[in-house]
Amino acid sequence: MLDHDDTGGEGAFMAHVRKTTEELIAEEEKKGKQAKARMAELKARQRSEHRKRDTHRKIVAGATLMAHVKIDPRFRKAVQDAFNKAVTNPKHRAVIPDLLDEKAFNEALEAAKKAAAEAKEAAVAAGAREAAESENLPAPPTRPPQQGESGRVTQGRAPV
């Protein structure tokens, strides 16, 4: 009698085929390649995470340094000395002139103050226009009215 299970269905014969040594080796090599690929993927992820952490640290350290340079003249001088010694590439020096020279620092500081004041004025003017529009009132002119040669008052344009 043939060996079969109790279900009696077709294909119920139990055939146990053993793999050859070559097939087993091929399977293990495949598993090894998959493990190597997974390991390479994990190492790449680790390098990426390390680069992101390092970049974040540099941003925080740079921002801290730049904030302290603005409030402590002795620290600013020490940073300027260090940067003048360490930063020799003209391309790199071009992006940090205010950290290399006291005169450039003061000019940059004044320019930043001026830009902040202009931005504040623009925000106030925009707020006044929005308030006027919400109340259906005429918006304040962007320039004060000027009197032309003919004696007429012109609004926001130079007299003709």
Side-chain angles (χ1 to χ4, degrees):
M1 182 174 233
L2 293 174
D3 238 1
H4 66 279
D5 65 3
D6 292 336
T7 60
E10 283 189 42
F13 291 101
M14 301 289 285
H16 184 63
V17 179
R18 293 182 72 159
K19 294 182 181 179
T20 66
T21 305
E22 288 80 18
E23 290 172 330
L24 292 171
I25 290 172
E27 283 182 6
E28 291 303 317
E29 285 176 347
K30 183 179 177 183
K31 288 179 186 176
K33 287 179 183 176
Q34 289 172 340
K36 283 183 182 179
R38 178 73 176 138
M39 185 63 79
E41 181 183 312
L42 291 171
K43 286 183 178 183
R45 185 188 312 169
Q46 184 180 42
R47 283 190 305 272
S48 174
E49 290 169 356
H50 176 73
R51 273 193 314 274
K52 288 178 184 178
R53 238 185 348 265
D54 189 50
T55 299
H56 186 227
R57 288 180 68 234
K58 290 175 183 175
I59 290 169
V60 171
T64 303
L65 178 133
M66 291 177 71
H68 199 69
V69 157
K70 291 177 184 175
I71 59 174
D72 186 343
R74 289 186 321 196
F75 180 75
R76 180 171 51 250
K77 178 69 175 135
V79 168
Q80 288 169 346
D81 290 345
F83 279 13
N84 277 309
K85 290 175 186 172
V87 182
T88 57
N89 184 327
K91 178 178 146 185
H92 296 155
R93 293 178 68 84
V95 297
I96 58 167
D98 56 320
L99 297 175
L100 298 172
D101 177 62
E102 188 67 22
K103 181 180 175 190
F105 172 80
N106 290 327
E107 290 170 358
L109 194 58
E110 288 304 315
K113 287 178 183 177
K114 183 179 177 184
E118 289 171 357
K120 185 176 180 179
E121 288 175 14
V124 168
R129 279 194 294 279
E130 287 177 11
E133 288 171 1
S134 68
E135 296 175 11
N136 291 327
L137 298 174
T142 55
R143 290 173 138 183
Q146 298 176 353
Q147 188 170 8
E149 291 178 11
S150 63
R152 290 187 342 185
V153 174
T154 59
Q155 191 89 21
R157 291 192 333 208
V160 182

